Amino acid sequence: MSIGEKIQEIRLNMAKGYLVGVDIGLSAVKIAVMAEGKKGSYRLEAYESFPLSEASIIEDEVQKPEEIINAIQTILKKNGIKRKIACLGMDGPNTVTKRLQVPDGDKEEVEDNIFWESEQYIPFGADDAQIGFSIIGRNEDEDVVDAIVGAVKIDVAEKYMEYLKEAGLHTRVVDLNIFAVNNVFELCFHDQLEDISEEGAIIIDLGAQYTSLMVYRGGGPILTKEINLGGVLITEEIQRSMGVSYEEAEDLKVNGDDNGNLPEEIISILEAHINRLVEELKKVLNFYIAAGSSEQVSHCFITGGGAQIPGIKDALQDLTDIEVEDINPLEILEIKGSFSESELEELAYRGAVAVGLAMRRVD
Ligand SMILES: Nc1ncnc2c1ncn2[C@@H]1O[C@H](COP(=O)(O)OP(=O)(O)OP(=O)(O)O)[C@@H](O)[C@H]1O
Ligand SMILES: [Mg+2]
């Protein structure tokens, strides 16, 4: 590393304020940038989603790094984003979360206790993991703290950080996408959060590659889980059965045919997908949706592009027997400047992760 680079690194490390939120999903790279709004709220400075082509990521392995780098660079340039310090979101099998209770003590002791206790829950090995945590509460009577731990496989995160670096961003924080959704959710439902937290909620992010879900109770997530089912399977099925390209299939699915109608063939593919997803969710959530279970939850919230699939909400409602509500990040943002209607709509249903990541700051 040259001295010039070293100085650059030091400067970057001293930079303060909001981080550039970078969500690298299977269908698109999404970037959000926040500024200080009125009364401690968040003002949206920039948001953009840049679509990725077919198979640019396969099972967390980036197949076309140049495409990811180009997407980031294009978004930064087009939106005049000058900030260079990023919060990178991760998900998939190279990440894990665990809710823990450990003995209370001073800051260092608690930290040691959490790291010690969490090691056994990391499937890819604690030595290869970067571990972070957040304290959710303290139980003074029992002298324990309640924490949620997140871990990510270091070499995978480093690869992604390398792409960001090539695009001109320095990664300061690596966060988990599901935590980003959690933070947006908590702000969106701030006024009812105490009740929701007591009654329990299921939060689902329906992506292209994964369906991530979380059970929220007692001030934070108690369980997170990723299911290997997402919208790209529908796209691939449309490609196969209708003999069209990935882009055409994606367009047909989202926008319908020339008249804006969904062809019969697609409707049945969507139905089959919904059924499959509901079956998988049922297995994971069995405990939480069974009537009479002491673990039963009373709320269900969804986000992600897949939440737009016609019929998905009704199917989830039937499964859980609770009303399904959208998480809309627009509700917590002050919007100033020039955002088009379609950009804001995009952000509302697909931007929760990027927004949550962009809410992180360094002081
Ligand atoms: N109107 C719609 N109908 C059906 N599917 C839709 C619609 N709009 C978006 N989708 C699907 O949602 C998916 C994109 O959602 P999202 O941006 O949340 O995923 P992602 O973050 O890229 O994926 P992942 O998090 O799994 O890596 C795509 O599969 C897309 O086809
Ligand atoms: Mg996603």
Side-chain angles (χ1 to χ4, degrees):
M1 182 184 283
S2 72
I3 290 187
E5 269 180 62
K6 189 88 208 155
I7 290 173
Q8 173 78 354
E9 288 265 312
I10 292 170
R11 275 211 198 111
L12 288 170
N13 281 325
M14 283 174 20
K16 291 185 179 18
Y18 287 105
L19 302 173
V20 177
V22 183
D23 171 18
I24 303 175
L26 182 85
S27 72
V29 173
K30 297 162 210 144
I31 292 186
V33 182
M34 296 298 153
E36 198 89 43
K38 283 192 206 107
K39 290 191 216 130
S41 68
Y42 297 90
R43 197 179 80 223
L44 184 70
E45 269 203 351
Y47 172 78
E48 181 147 354
S49 156
F50 189 98
L52 296 175
S53 70
E54 182 177 15
S56 47
I57 304 173
I58 300 174
E59 285 171 3
D60 268 2
E61 285 276 344
V62 173
Q63 309 293 320
K64 303 175 188 165
E66 41 335 303
E67 206 181 312
I68 308 277
I69 295 163
N70 174 56
I72 300 172
Q73 278 174 333
T74 308
I75 297 176
L76 296 179
K77 195 158 169 225
K78 206 173 137 204
N79 292 273
I81 299 168
K82 297 278 179 310
R83 237 164 301 165
K84 296 288 175 238
I85 322 283
C87 175
L88 165 69
M90 300 286 296
D91 58 12
N94 298 301
T95 64
V96 66
T97 74
K98 180 74 193 164
R99 179 88 167 247
L100 292 175
Q101 266 195 347
V102 298
D104 205 351
D106 65 32
K107 201 166 162 262
E108 230 165 82
E109 281 166 346
V110 170
E111 202 173 300
D112 282 349
N113 290 343
I114 290 174
F115 285 134
W116 172 252
E117 178 70 20
S118 50
E119 282 188 358
Q120 58 185 305
Y121 299 107
I122 301 173
F124 38 85
D127 289 345
D128 294 325
Q130 181 74 45
I131 305 172
F133 65 87
S134 156
I135 305 273
I136 287 173
R138 290 196 135 76
N139 183 332
E140 310 237 321
D141 296 341
E142 290 173 32
D143 208 25
V144 290
V145 293
D146 208 4
I148 177 86
V149 177
V152 47
K153 196 153 181 264
I154 291 174
D155 58 346
V156 179
E158 277 176 348
K159 245 191 227 162
Y160 277 80
M161 283 159 70
E162 201 52 44
Y163 305 142
L164 263 64
K165 195 169 169 198
E166 289 204 29
L169 289 177
H170 175 87
T171 306
R172 174 69 78 80
V173 174
V174 178
D175 205 343
L176 299 190
N177 290 350
I178 195 79
F179 291 166
V181 171
N182 178 69
N183 293 342
V184 170
F185 156 75
E186 286 186 340
L187 276 179
C188 284
F189 295 91
H190 182 260
D191 295 341
Q192 304 136 260
L193 197 60
E194 228 170 274
D195 288 343
I196 294 175
S197 170
E198 206 167 290
E199 293 158 6
I202 300 165
I203 299 167
I204 309 175
D205 176 6
L206 296 130
Q209 183 177 21
Y210 302 115
T211 299
S212 311
L213 69 95
M214 163 166 93
V215 178
Y216 186 98
R217 196 197 290 281
I222 52 168
L223 170 101
T224 70
K225 175 101 185 146
E226 249 147 31
I227 298 172
N228 259 328
L229 279 178
V232 73
L233 294 177
I234 305 175
T235 311
E236 285 168 359
E237 185 65 34
I238 295 173
Q239 262 182 283
R240 267 197 300 274
S241 74
M242 300 181 75
V244 293
S245 72
Y246 177 82
E247 284 75 20
E248 284 165 334
E250 192 62 36
D251 184 48
L252 270 171
K253 169 172 74 165
V254 175
N255 303 313
D257 60 17
D258 291 345
N259 303 316
N261 299 322
L262 283 176
E264 271 309 311
E265 224 167 330
I266 294 189
I267 293 178
S268 56
I269 295 173
L270 290 175
E271 275 171 6
H273 180 81
I274 291 175
N275 288 340
R276 229 175 117 192
L277 186 62
V278 163
E279 276 311 305
E280 285 305 311
L281 285 170
K282 197 167 158 182
K283 282 185 210 154
V284 180
L285 293 170
N286 221 340
F287 222 40
Y288 301 94
I289 53 181
S293 155
S294 61
E295 303 286 333
Q296 210 184 355
V297 299
S298 313
H299 303 268
C300 182
F301 303 94
I302 57 171
T303 183
Q308 300 295 311
I309 300 172
I312 190 88
K313 276 190 213 169
D314 288 340
L316 289 173
Q317 212 141 300
D318 287 345
L319 171 71
T320 57
D321 214 12
I322 34 191
E323 187 195 349
V324 176
E325 294 179 65
D326 289 311
I327 299 172
N328 180 358
L330 280 183
E331 286 171 9
I332 54 169
L333 299 177
E334 209 177 282
I335 311 280
K336 261 200 195 140
S338 54
F339 294 96
S340 70
E341 196 90 343
S342 65
E343 274 172 327
L344 293 178
E345 199 182 305
E346 232 269 358
L347 182 144
Y349 79 89
R350 278 172 83 196
V353 170
V355 166
L357 297 170
M359 286 177 353
R360 297 286 303 256
R361 51 181 297 150
V362 282
D363 291 304

